[in-house]
Amino acid sequence: MKTNPSPDWTKLQHLYPVNREMIWLNNCGTTPANTDTLHAVNEYLQGYAARGGNTEVRRYPTVKKVIRTILAELLGVEAEELSLIHHTNEGIGFISLGLKLKSGDRILLLENEYPSNIYPWEHWKEKGVSISFVPMAETPDGFLENLKSSITPDVKVVSLSAVHWCTGMPFPLEEIGSFLAGKGIEFVLDGAQGVGLLPVRPREMGISYMAFPAWKWLLGPLGLGVLYIAKEKLEGLNFPFKGTGSVVNDEVYLPYREELKGTDRYEISTVNFIDWVYFQSTLEMLHKVGFHNSMERIYELADYLSDKLRDAGWKLASDHFPDFKTGIVVAEKEGLSMENVVSDLKKNGVMCALRLGRVRFSPHIYLAKEQLDRVVDLVSR
C-alpha cells in the first residue's frame, strides 16, 4: 500500500466542525462531514441549480472513476469489480440471492453478528438450506479454531465480518480465506467495520464477495455502500434485479438490451449522485493523507485511549488479543452501569455506543489526544 508523508493532524482537526461541538467517538457507527466535503457538495449543487443535468461540475463518469480507482487501490482489486450501492445489507442481499445453493446445503454465520449479515441469508431456510453460527471467542486464534470445528461437508458458504462490531476484535481473514479455499467454500465478507481501518485485501485473503458502507472508516455519507464481486465469480451469480442502469450503453433506451455491465450492473438505475460527490471528497482526502497513515493514526489514538482507561481501572476487550491491531476500544469497569456511563458521556458531548454491556469508543484521524484525555477525565469522575 502506498505510504504518504506524515500529515498535519492539527490542520485536519480544524476541517471538522463537530470538534467545536462535541467529541465524536462513534466512528465505526457513523461519521460527521468536514468543511471540504461541504464545499464539494455545495459546488455541485450550485452547478446543478444553474444548468441541471448539463452542469460540468462533478460530472458522473469522472466522479465514478475517481471513487472506484481509489477504492480499487485500497483493496487491491480491479475497479470493474466494484459497484456503488446503498449499504452493506443491500450488498449482502445481492450476493445471497445470487448464489446457487440447494436443499441440504448449509450457511455459516457469526454468533452475535450485526443484522445486515444475518437477515439477507434467512430466505434460504424456506428453500431447505440451513443456517448455523460459529461461536464467538475472545481471541482471533480462538475464533479460527471455532470456525474450523464448525465446518462440515454440507457447508457451502461462510459469511463473516472483518471485525466484531461489539468487541473490536479483528478476525484472521487471510487464514480463514486460505482454510475455506482448501474446502471449496465460498467466503463472503461484511467489511463494514474493517475497510479503512484494516488492510482488507480480498484477492490476497480469498474473499470472493464483500459489501461495506461509505460512512464508517471511509468518512463518507449515510446511504451509500460498495459491493465487491471477484470478476471470475460474477457470471456464476443469479441476477434477478436487472434495471435501466444494468445494461451496456444504458443511456440508449431503445432497443432493449441483453448485455449486462460488469459488477456495476448492481447500480441498477438512477443513483444518489450527491452522495457520490460527498464520497469522492472524503476518499480524496484519505488518499492524500494516505490510507496507511490513517490506519496507523487510528491505532495510535485507540492505543492512547486504551492506556488511559486501563490506568483508570477499566478492563478492555483488546487485552485478550494484544498482538492484533484494532481501532475500536471496548471497555467496562466493575461497579459502574455502562448504560449510565454512555448516557452521562452523551450529556457531556461525548458520542460513543453501548455494545453487549460494554462501552465502545472508536476514534478517527480528526480527533486529538487532548479530547481523549477529556473523555477519560469524565469517566473517571
Side-chain angles (χ1 to χ4, degrees):
M1 189 179 297
K2 181 180 177 182
T3 302
N4 297 36
S6 183
D8 182 343
W9 299 119
T10 302
K11 182 178 179 181
L12 195 144
Q13 289 154 19
H14 291 310
L15 288 178
Y16 278 81
V18 71
N19 284 329
R20 298 192 289 272
E21 302 287 334
M22 59 184 66
I23 302 172
W24 195 272
L25 278 168
N26 190 28
N27 291 284
C28 65
T30 62
T31 49
N34 65 63
T35 52
D36 284 355
T37 296
L38 293 177
H39 174 75
V41 171
N42 183 63
E43 181 184 52
Y44 168 72
L45 288 175
Q46 292 286 353
Y48 193 79
R51 294 179 55 81
N54 293 320
T55 179
E56 293 298 319
V57 180
R58 307 273 176 170
R59 297 290 293 169
Y60 170 89
T62 304
V63 172
K64 180 174 180 176
K65 182 178 180 180
V66 170
I67 291 173
R68 294 211 297 177
T69 299
I70 293 175
L71 288 174
E73 180 183 329
L74 170 65
L75 300 171
V77 302
E78 296 180 20
E80 290 69 28
E81 295 178 303
L82 301 171
S83 179
L84 299 176
I85 54 171
H86 296 98
H87 40 68
T88 306
N89 202 117
E90 181 179 72
I92 299 293
F94 285 151
I95 296 162
S96 175
L97 290 166
L99 290 171
K100 297 174 181 178
L101 303 179
K102 63 182 185 302
S103 179
D105 290 343
R106 190 153 63 98
I107 299 166
L108 268 185
L109 305 174
L110 173 65
E111 178 185 43
N112 290 328
E113 175 65 287
Y114 193 77
S116 63
N117 198 17
I118 298 293
Y119 297 154
W121 300 102
E122 290 182 341
H123 72 96
W124 281 110
K125 291 189 286 188
E126 63 187 32
K127 302 174 179 72
V129 175
S130 61
I131 295 176
S132 299
F133 297 89
V134 182
M136 190 49 195
E138 291 186 329
T139 66
D141 292 338
F143 178 78
L144 181 59
E145 291 307 310
N146 287 350
L147 174 64
K148 289 180 176 180
S149 64
S150 300
I151 298 296
T152 52
D154 59 345
V155 173
K156 304 301 179 184
V157 178
V158 171
S159 188
L160 303 172
S161 289
V163 177
H164 197 288
W165 66 292
C166 293
T167 68
M169 188 183 82
F171 295 110
L173 300 179
E174 194 164 354
E175 292 87 343
I176 291 171
S178 177
F179 173 74
L180 296 179
K183 300 287 185 181
I185 297 171
E186 299 280 21
F187 187 12
V188 182
L189 190 73
D190 174 345
Q193 302 287 359
V195 176
L197 172 66
L198 304 171
V200 178
R201 311 279 285 182
R203 285 279 172 196
E204 298 168 19
M205 295 172 170
I207 299 162
S208 296
Y209 315 93
M210 178 172 67
F212 57 92
W215 61 83
K216 297 182 187 290
W217 300 112
L218 298 177
L219 299 171
L222 288 167
L224 184 64
V226 181
L227 174 66
Y228 162 76
I229 298 176
K231 61 183 180 181
E232 66 272 15
K233 297 286 186 177
L234 182 61
E235 298 307 325
L237 294 176
N238 290 320
F239 183 65
F241 295 103
K242 185 178 178 181
T244 307
S246 301
V247 297
V248 174
N249 295 327
D250 60 294
E251 68 279 1
V252 180
Y253 303 129
L254 293 173
Y256 304 129
R257 286 165 164 70
E258 295 295 327
E259 185 182 358
L260 297 171
K261 294 179 180 177
T263 302
D264 57 346
R265 66 185 62 176
Y266 289 93
E267 287 162 19
I268 297 178
S269 191
T270 307
V271 302
N272 12 337
F273 188 64
I274 294 175
D275 287 345
W276 286 24
V277 173
Y278 186 139
F279 197 29
Q280 178 191 4
S281 171
T282 63
L283 285 178
E284 287 177 331
M285 181 191 75
L286 288 169
H287 190 260
K288 183 178 180 181
V289 166
F291 284 103
H292 176 77
N293 288 334
S294 175
M295 293 175 194
E296 290 299 323
R297 177 62 174 176
I298 294 168
Y299 301 150
E300 179 186 353
L301 293 173
D303 288 345
Y304 182 85
L305 178 58
S306 296
D307 289 342
K308 292 285 185 176
L309 288 170
R310 202 177 285 112
D311 291 343
W314 287 67
K315 294 180 180 179
L316 303 178
S318 58
D319 287 341
H320 294 287
F321 47 94
D323 296 331
F324 292 81
K325 292 183 177 181
T326 181
I328 302 174
V329 179
V330 177
E332 60 185 331
K333 188 172 184 180
E334 189 175 349
L336 293 181
S337 162
M338 296 300 100
E339 185 174 359
N340 289 343
V341 169
V342 172
S343 177
D344 289 344
L345 285 173
K346 185 176 182 180
K347 291 174 184 176
N348 284 278
V350 178
M351 300 305 297
C352 55
L354 182 69
R355 294 290 182 263
L356 290 180
R358 291 178 283 192
V359 184
R360 188 189 71 184
F361 302 101
S362 46
H364 214 306
I365 58 175
Y366 61 86
L367 287 163
K369 290 180 180 178
E370 291 77 12
Q371 291 171 294
L372 304 183
D373 289 335
R374 166 69 175 159
V375 173
V376 176
D377 180 60
L378 286 169
V379 299
S380 296
R381 284 192 273 158

